[in-house]
Amino acid sequence: PFKLEILDSIKTEPITIYGIGEEWWDLCAGPHVESTGQLPKKAIALQSVAGAYWRGDENREMLQRIYATAWKDPKQLKAYKKRMEEAKKRDHRMLGKKLDLFSIQEDAGGGLVFWHPKGSSVRLKIEDFWKSQHIEKGYDLVYSPHIANLELWKTSGHFDFYQEGMFDQMDVENEVYQIKPMNCPFHCLMYKDSIRSYRDLPFRWAELGTVYRYERSGTLHGLFRVRGFTQDDAHIFCLPEQLQSEIVDVLKLTQSILTRFGFNKYELMVSTRPDKSVGSDKIWDDATAALVGALDELGWDYGTDEGGGAFYGPKIDLKIKDAIGRTWQCSTVQCDFNLPERFGLEYVSAEGTKEVPIMVHRAIFGSLERFFGILIENCAGELPFWLTPTQLKLLPVTDSVKDYCDEVAVKAKKMGLRVEVDRGNERLAKQIRNAEKGRIPVMAVVGVKEMEEGTLAIRSRKEGDLGSFTVDDLLSELKRCDDAAEEMTKMGE
């Protein structure tokens, strides 16, 4: 019955059935080997057995799922196992708890993220950098509500096409409201709020907008699959002739931001018009040419997914590659011919006629939550100095120097640095171990001698003892590293 249910749900052709020998046949997208004898025995491994709800629905039958993997030769299997072991050590759920960055509180509901103080300090740095980069590149920051009248979602088409991914509606004074799954309809309303001229375009509006989408409990996974998340959303409203240059600028901004976080290897894909779509042939051809033209102008390699675009426009998807070779879908640039028509968006052309602008959806991180999880796993919890929750920890040898440590901490915080004073009573060796377990990059051992001389004895988590420095010299160097997104190894290096 389960295979028949899958068969009934397949709406595209061809439907494929694969067999092994003459006795075993299966409904499957494939491909299959003709015989299991073609696979080396030592290149096959069983991984685990677990219960799983049918189709991830907790209201359906519980089935047993057997996880296994097969490779061309034992060498490939060995490499795969090594990657899996490394991935396990980098699991953001484990590191998030160990480093006290975030939690999922089941008492509040699954898929809802609680950012702890340390995680929040990282998020604040990410948001501040994101905002500064966008303002520098000509974007205006906007804010929009978390709910809206259901009629808005009917106008946008989300209620018709995306209802399964939306939470239930709520009644407010005899009207029906919907918590938002997307930000774009709000930006369309802002655009429509005034008469627009071709001279005004392009508009670049960016928002760190929190949205809420229904996900079945069986599909939730740490920060990677949640029910509430913040998109680094932006929408560009432009003239057709401005589209390619706008796409070029989006891609440059994407590269600049991702590089700051250590991601400089990408895979790009251009997705073209599907069979079911809205918009004329000309507008699809011109928009696709603009996307391809932007990539060619930058000299970036890309693949083509024929027919893989959204029904409302072609798109570019960018996957980043992490430290252990995994790829992650993050950034996207999508043209939209649907929402401007649905919302009646217009501008007055140079000839005085009313025309429809091109709308571009784009995100760089995708969502802050998911990107944070990817970032943690990429660096195995060793966040770069400019992002780490605590950049400097002061380790007082005796109680008599704690006031001095507090004075140094206050001075450092005024410079925008993140500093802690160890409040425990452990021996120095234990304080150092605790700081290193907490992934704190720089420690300062403070004794009576340092207090009397106005210095700090510095220890790097990666480099060991670095020597003694005046407070002003150390804080200036830490500030320089923070601003330049560099690691502190030796003073001035």
Side-chain angles (χ1 to χ4, degrees), residues 248-295:
V248 168
D249 289 343
V250 167
L251 294 174
K252 286 181 177 178
L253 178 60
T254 300
Q255 182 184 46
S256 174
I257 289 178
L258 292 178
T259 300
R260 176 83 171 205
F261 292 91
F263 297 107
N264 51 27
K265 295 180 179 179
Y266 319 118
E267 293 180 3
L268 293 112
M269 186 70 69
V270 176
S271 298
T272 62
R273 188 176 191 174
D275 292 336
K276 294 183 179 180
S277 60
V278 298
S280 66
D281 289 343
K282 184 178 188 311
I283 198 169
W284 270 91
D285 291 343
D286 290 348
T288 303
L291 296 180
V292 170
L295 290 167

Side-chain angles (χ1 to χ4, degrees), residues 17-26 32-37:
I17 296 175
Y18 283 83
I20 294 180
E22 296 296 328
E23 300 177 356
W24 191 84
W25 296 85
D26 187 28
H32 280 206
V33 293
E34 292 182 3
S35 166
T36 54

Side-chain angles (χ1 to χ4, degrees), residues 374-388:
I374 295 169
L375 182 64
I376 292 171
E377 296 201 1
N378 181 63
C379 62
E382 300 270 1
L383 290 164
F385 180 79
W386 74 281
L387 282 178
T388 191

Side-chain angles (χ1 to χ4, degrees), residues 63-196:
L63 305 178
Q64 283 296 114
R65 179 174 287 168
I66 300 173
Y67 294 87
T69 185
W71 296 84
K72 186 177 180 180
D73 55 56
K75 185 177 180 181
Q76 289 184 347
L77 176 60
K78 184 178 179 181
Y80 168 77
K81 287 183 174 180
K82 186 176 181 180
R83 288 198 304 273
M84 292 303 99
E85 289 171 5
E86 185 62 35
K88 188 176 181 179
K89 290 188 289 186
R90 294 167 177 263
D91 191 316
H92 73 280
R93 296 167 297 177
M94 176 270 293
L95 289 171
K97 184 174 181 61
K98 184 176 181 180
L99 300 175
D100 194 23
L101 299 173
F102 69 90
S103 63
I104 308 292
Q105 298 290 335
E106 293 302 327
D107 288 344
L112 303 173
V113 182
F114 287 71
W115 294 80
H116 294 200
K118 290 181 179 179
S120 294
S121 73
V122 180
R123 174 172 174 157
L124 180 62
K125 288 291 291 185
I126 294 173
E127 289 183 353
D128 286 349
F129 175 70
W130 184 91
K131 290 176 181 177
S132 67
Q133 290 293 295
H134 281 75
I135 292 171
E136 182 181 312
K137 299 302 180 182
Y139 285 77
D140 293 308
L141 303 184
V142 298
Y143 298 88
S144 61
H146 286 240
I147 63 173
N149 193 294
L150 183 61
E151 293 303 314
L152 176 68
W153 308 105
K154 290 181 178 180
T155 299
S156 69
H158 288 103
F159 186 73
D160 294 328
F161 299 109
Y162 196 73
Q163 191 173 357
E164 289 185 359
M166 297 163 67
F167 280 98
D168 288 343
Q169 295 78 44
M170 63 189 84
D171 291 327
V172 181
E173 297 180 348
N174 298 319
E175 292 188 292
V176 182
Y177 278 73
Q178 173 71 56
I179 193 166
K180 69 174 177 179
M182 309 278 185
N183 297 304
C184 34
F186 294 92
H187 294 191
C188 289
L189 289 183
M190 292 184 199
Y191 180 97
K192 196 175 180 181
D193 195 51
S194 299
I195 297 173
R196 310 296 183 179

Side-chain angles (χ1 to χ4, degrees), residues 47-48 52 55 90 93 159 220 241 253 363 392 398 412 453:
Q47 296 171 290
S48 63
R55 296 201 147 182
R90 294 167 177 263
R93 296 167 297 177
F159 186 73
L220 300 174
E241 59 267 28
L253 178 60
L392 170 66
T398 68
E453 295 178 352

Side-chain angles (χ1 to χ4, degrees), residues 426-468:
E426 291 90 354
R427 296 168 64 88
L428 179 60
K430 182 68 178 296
Q431 291 185 58
I432 292 174
R433 281 198 300 274
N434 289 342
E436 289 182 340
K437 286 181 180 178
R439 307 292 208 278
I440 294 171
V442 182
M443 295 151 270
V445 177
V446 186
V448 174
K449 178 176 179 289
E450 284 76 26
M451 181 180 68
E452 292 175 346
E453 295 178 352
T455 61
L456 298 169
I458 302 306
R459 178 181 179 81
S460 164
R461 183 170 183 270
K462 294 181 179 178
E463 304 291 334
D465 293 329
L466 298 182
S468 183

Side-chain angles (χ1 to χ4, degrees), residues 220-234:
L220 300 174
H221 180 77
L223 298 179
F224 293 159
R225 196 75 177 264
V226 294
R227 288 173 170 162
F229 55 94
T230 301
Q231 290 183 310
D232 67 316
D233 227 345

